[in-house]
């Protein structure tokens, strides 16, 4: 009945549910289940696929199969990564030893992988997203919903562009985000953790993402604050660099706690200056205080920054990254640079002594000990 | 006036600025300097005396001498603790190796120590405060101002009584609080940290306390929220017990971060239910998130709880405390019991699964692993 009143109606089956304020992709009959594709298959992407694949089997409103786009690589034994994943149900390169679920299908063809998806989960290194979006224009379902698990932002002449905004604008679809205290390997081992979904306006869509990701060992909550949640995920890596410096300088737990608190304060202030819609309460969620804690206790940004400070800044982050991370990339250093550009461009450098100093230490202009001196 | 906006104020003779709105003790001419007494001389009390003694020498509005009440003990060599402190400027028992300042005078006579004080700093184990207050009735200056550095609360038939309230009510004086991410030995080593002063109504009084405690390595901020700040200092020890269980169970950083976040959320909710005046923003201060971090990383509550969980709850906290803490007391276990009594009395147990479960584990009714199961 009311279906005719909906101007953005493309493929009939889903829309029946729109009558009841539901979202299009939510009403899934036997022949009309939501299909999920994970775009990305690194460490976190593989864990996300595992979480999702377990739930698509459990809930009848999802299609069992979870398609996972794999950036094809040839392994040292000459085999293709995507083929090995499909044979073994394991991402032997980025999440070895963990079964993803037999309903995860690795697909090296990006356009093919997304073609039938109603729900797109983006989880690639952030620098690849602009290129991926360009390739996907016109290749996805018009009513698809997206969620980004990607940390980082694009800094352009006109200002910072969040990844969820990039996806929304380039692809013309709605995009939520999922962030939180989520060290991938610990979730793969099914140890208890939490995460936060940030959504823009439609709570039903957020609830659908919560349903897709939530597990007894992975508790997901939704807050109406895309930018706040996404900036938490992005900026926490800058704070982790600062915390790593404190560790390398052996300054103790009080100092580390103070630096983490000041970092959280700058994350909040920066987010609110950029987006007046950002809520203070978001920073009490898993994406805020909990992610700061886990990232500053154990993450790779913290670890490399500790080594940087122990070497007195005499070895570069590029060297340490190559030596310590086995091919994984360090996001904090590049995010710190991006944030610094935003601050400088807007005349805010002095308002954010911690963010500013992290970049100045990373780029060799200040010694690691400056991290404490400048925030006093 | 501008000075209220600057917590780090060092050079101006502040008191000249004490205008009409100033309080009695603030208007200090040459013959009318504020006299400070520290009531307590344990580990934290000694560090507080050191911080204060450095500032009373620096600012002319304070009397140089800082009197410190010492609960007299006879050391193993037969000497009196107070006499050794006065001879060596060191608290050889509770803060060995650190000079307190020659202007710290140890005084074993409580009534004598407080008699002339305009500013009273209370820093004793919380269970002694009721008795100390009884002894001090009628023995202090009527216009004296107090600050409490004491964690814990008294639970009575009529409800919980904060230590600052106990001091205010028993002695008829105003009482602020100072809490924060303050592991005493790290501050004694002058490593950078922060703290929060909570005050009730009069910002000038808060500023005066900030002036007394603030150092370049110890940054103090004031917020108008005595109860919020004090409850942070009290309740964080319960969260630290929970975090220690997670460590003992080797559940990883995501889980620890989640438990710390849920703990912070329960601290906030509990404080706001008890006192509607409590502000959310207080939990972003040093007394909130930073103290949770430092206490859950390195404190003694965390440490004993870790050992408790490693032993599968088969050794009691009393045994572990005696073995591991060399005479220091564990506050988290007794605070958890006090909080549990409040929750039970008000019918709030189910609203606070973490607080409730900490007590039930400590008292042997649940296994340590319950800490994660019940908060899911």
């Amino acid at each position: 009945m009311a279906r005719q009143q909906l101007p953005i109606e493309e493929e009939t089956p889903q829309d029946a549910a729109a009558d009841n304020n539901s979202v299009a992709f939510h009403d899934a009959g036997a022949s009309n289940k939501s299909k999920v594709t994970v775009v990305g298959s690194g460490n976190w992407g593989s864990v996300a696929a595992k979480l999702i694949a377990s739930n698509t089997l459990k809930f009848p409103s999802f299609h069992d199969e979870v398609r996972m786009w794999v950036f094809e690589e040839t392994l040292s034994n000459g085999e293709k990564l995507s083929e090995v994943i499909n044979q073994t149900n394991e991402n032997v390169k980025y999440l070895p030893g963990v079964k993803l679920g037999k309903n995860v299908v690795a697909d090296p063809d990006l356009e093919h992988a997304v073609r039938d998806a109603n729900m797109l989960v983006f989880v690639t290194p952030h620098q690849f997203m602009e290129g991926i979006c360009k390739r996907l224009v016109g290749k996805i379902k018009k009513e698809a919903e997206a969620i980004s698990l990607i940390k980082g932002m694009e800094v352009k002449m006109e200002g910072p562009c969040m990844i969820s905004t990039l996806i929304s604008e380039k692809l013309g679809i709605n995009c939520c985000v999922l962030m939180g205290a989520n060290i991938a390997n610990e979730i793969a081992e099914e140890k208890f953790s939490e995460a936060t979904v940030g959504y823009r306006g439609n709570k039903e869509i957020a609830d659908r993402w919560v349903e897709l990701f939530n597990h007894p060992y992975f508790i997901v909550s939704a807050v109406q604050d895309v930018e706040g949640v996404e900036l938490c995920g992005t900026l926490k890596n800058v704070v982790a660099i600062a915390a790593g410096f404190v560790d390398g300088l052996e300054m103790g737990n009080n100092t580390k706690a103070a630096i983490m608190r000041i970092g959280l304060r700058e994350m909040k202030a920066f987010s609110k200056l950029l987006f007046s819609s950002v809520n203070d309460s978001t920073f009490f969620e898993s994406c805020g205080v909990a992610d700061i804690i886990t990232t500053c206790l154990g993450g790779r940004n913290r670890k490399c920054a500790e080594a940087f400070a122990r070497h007195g800044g005499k070895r570069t982050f590029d060297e340490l990254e190559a030596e310590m991370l086995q091919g994984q990339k360090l996001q904090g250093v590049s995010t710190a640079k991006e944030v610094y550009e935003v601050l400088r461009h807007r005349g805010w450098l002095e308002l954010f002594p911690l963010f500013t100093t992290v970049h100045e230490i990373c780029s060799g202009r200040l010694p690691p000990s400056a991290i404490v001196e400048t925030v006093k």
Side-chain angles (χ1 to χ4, degrees), chain A residues 5-73:
Chain A
Q5 296 162 3
L6 291 169
I8 321 170
E9 194 163 69
E10 302 284 332
E11 291 179 279
T12 46
Q14 293 86 348
D15 326 329
D19 301 349
N20 307 323
N21 294 328
S22 187
V23 293
F25 74 148
H26 197 177
D27 179 40
S31 62
N32 188 22
K33 295 162 179 273
S34 294
K35 288 188 177 172
V36 184
T37 291
V38 179
V39 177
S41 56
N43 188 234
W44 185 208
S46 301
V47 175
K50 174 180 186 284
L51 283 167
I52 291 167
S54 156
N55 278 337
T56 58
L57 290 182
K58 196 159 49 182
F59 298 118
S61 61
F62 298 105
H63 200 289
D64 285 354
E65 181 185 290
V66 177
R67 203 151 274 267
M68 179 170 77
W69 173 58
V70 173
F71 180 80
E72 191 66 287
E73 299 182 49

Side-chain angles (χ1 to χ4, degrees), chain A residues 20-324:
Chain A
N20 307 323
N21 294 328
S22 187
V23 293
F25 74 148
H26 197 177
D27 179 40
S31 62
N32 188 22
K33 295 162 179 273
S34 294
K35 288 188 177 172
V36 184
T37 291
V38 179
V39 177
S41 56
N43 188 234
W44 185 208
S46 301
V47 175
K50 174 180 186 284
L51 283 167
I52 291 167
S54 156
N55 278 337
T56 58
L57 290 182
K58 196 159 49 182
F59 298 118
S61 61
F62 298 105
H63 200 289
D64 285 354
E65 181 185 290
V66 177
R67 203 151 274 267
M68 179 170 77
W69 173 58
V70 173
F71 180 80
E72 191 66 287
E73 299 182 49
T74 304
L75 302 175
S76 55
N77 63 4
E79 293 184 295
K80 300 281 188 197
L81 177 58
S82 65
E83 289 169 11
V84 176
I85 293 174
N86 286 332
Q87 285 153 16
T88 63
N89 293 127
E90 263 183 58
N91 187 332
V92 292
K93 179 149 187 188
Y94 295 110
L95 191 64
V98 176
K99 294 291 177 196
L100 301 182
K102 290 187 178 168
N103 52 328
V104 174
V105 177
D107 187 339
D109 179 339
L110 178 61
E111 288 81 352
H112 183 260
V114 300
R115 199 175 55 191
D116 297 327
N118 314 92
M119 301 177 79
L120 291 163
V121 178
F122 289 98
V123 51
T124 69
H126 84 284
Q127 58 271 28
F128 299 157
M129 272 313 295
E130 187 137 17
I132 288 172
C133 283
K134 278 184 188 156
R135 287 177 59 188
L136 292 187
V137 172
K139 304 288 169 56
I140 59 169
K141 285 190 178 236
K142 290 213 173 82
E143 79 282 9
E145 285 285 335
I147 196 164
S148 168
L149 278 54
I150 301 166
K151 281 85 178 178
M153 57 175 123
E154 300 279 311
V155 177
K156 308 186 174 207
M157 287 300 286
E158 63 273 22
C161 176
M162 308 307 297
I163 302 297
S164 66
T165 309
L166 180 76
I167 293 168
S168 276
E169 290 183 355
K170 296 281 181 194
L171 301 181
I173 57 178
N174 182 50
C175 188
C176 292
V177 296
L178 182 143
M179 307 279 152
N182 298 329
I183 292 176
N185 287 332
E186 294 183 9
I187 299 168
E189 292 175 39
E190 305 192 359
K191 289 178 171 173
F192 173 65
S193 65
E194 299 181 304
T196 313
V197 162
Y199 67 98
R200 202 166 297 280
N202 191 325
K203 179 70 162 61
E204 297 232 359
I205 292 173
D207 289 342
R208 187 74 168 149
W209 288 117
V210 169
E211 193 174 21
L212 187 66
F213 281 96
N214 197 68
H215 275 75
Y217 64 86
F218 189 71
I219 306 292
V220 184
S221 308
V223 298
Q224 190 174 351
D225 184 359
V226 171
E227 288 85 4
V229 174
E230 189 164 8
L231 278 163
C232 279
T234 301
L235 298 171
K236 60 103 188 264
N237 285 325
V238 182
V239 183
I241 298 273
F245 293 151
V246 174
D247 284 344
L249 296 164
E250 297 182 3
M251 303 186 76
N253 288 336
N254 284 355
T255 306
K256 186 166 177 181
I259 290 294
M260 289 164 68
R261 187 195 83 81
I262 292 167
L264 187 65
R265 186 181 68 194
E266 291 196 7
M267 283 167 56
K268 187 152 65 80
F270 184 77
S271 304
K272 293 177 78 165
L273 276 173
L274 285 186
F275 301 98
S276 60
S277 59
V278 168
N279 294 320
D280 281 356
S281 59
T282 297
F283 299 82
F284 285 126
E285 297 293 333
S286 178
C287 64
V289 59
D291 201 7
I292 280 283
I293 291 169
T294 201
T295 310
C296 292
L297 290 187
R300 55 185 184 256
N301 289 283
R302 188 214 65 78
K303 185 175 158 188
C304 285
E306 180 182 10
F308 183 90
R310 285 198 194 284
H311 289 100
K314 292 193 175 58
R315 300 192 60 196
T316 67
F317 271 101
D318 283 342
E319 287 171 7
L320 294 167
E321 181 182 85
E323 188 174 296
M324 299 172 73

Side-chain angles (χ1 to χ4, degrees), chain A residues 238-239 241-242 245 332 336 353-363 371:
Chain A
V238 182
V239 183
I241 298 273
F245 293 151
L354 187 138
F355 285 170
T356 299
T357 305
V358 167
H359 174 64
E360 290 179 335
I361 295 171
C362 290
S363 58
I371 195 62

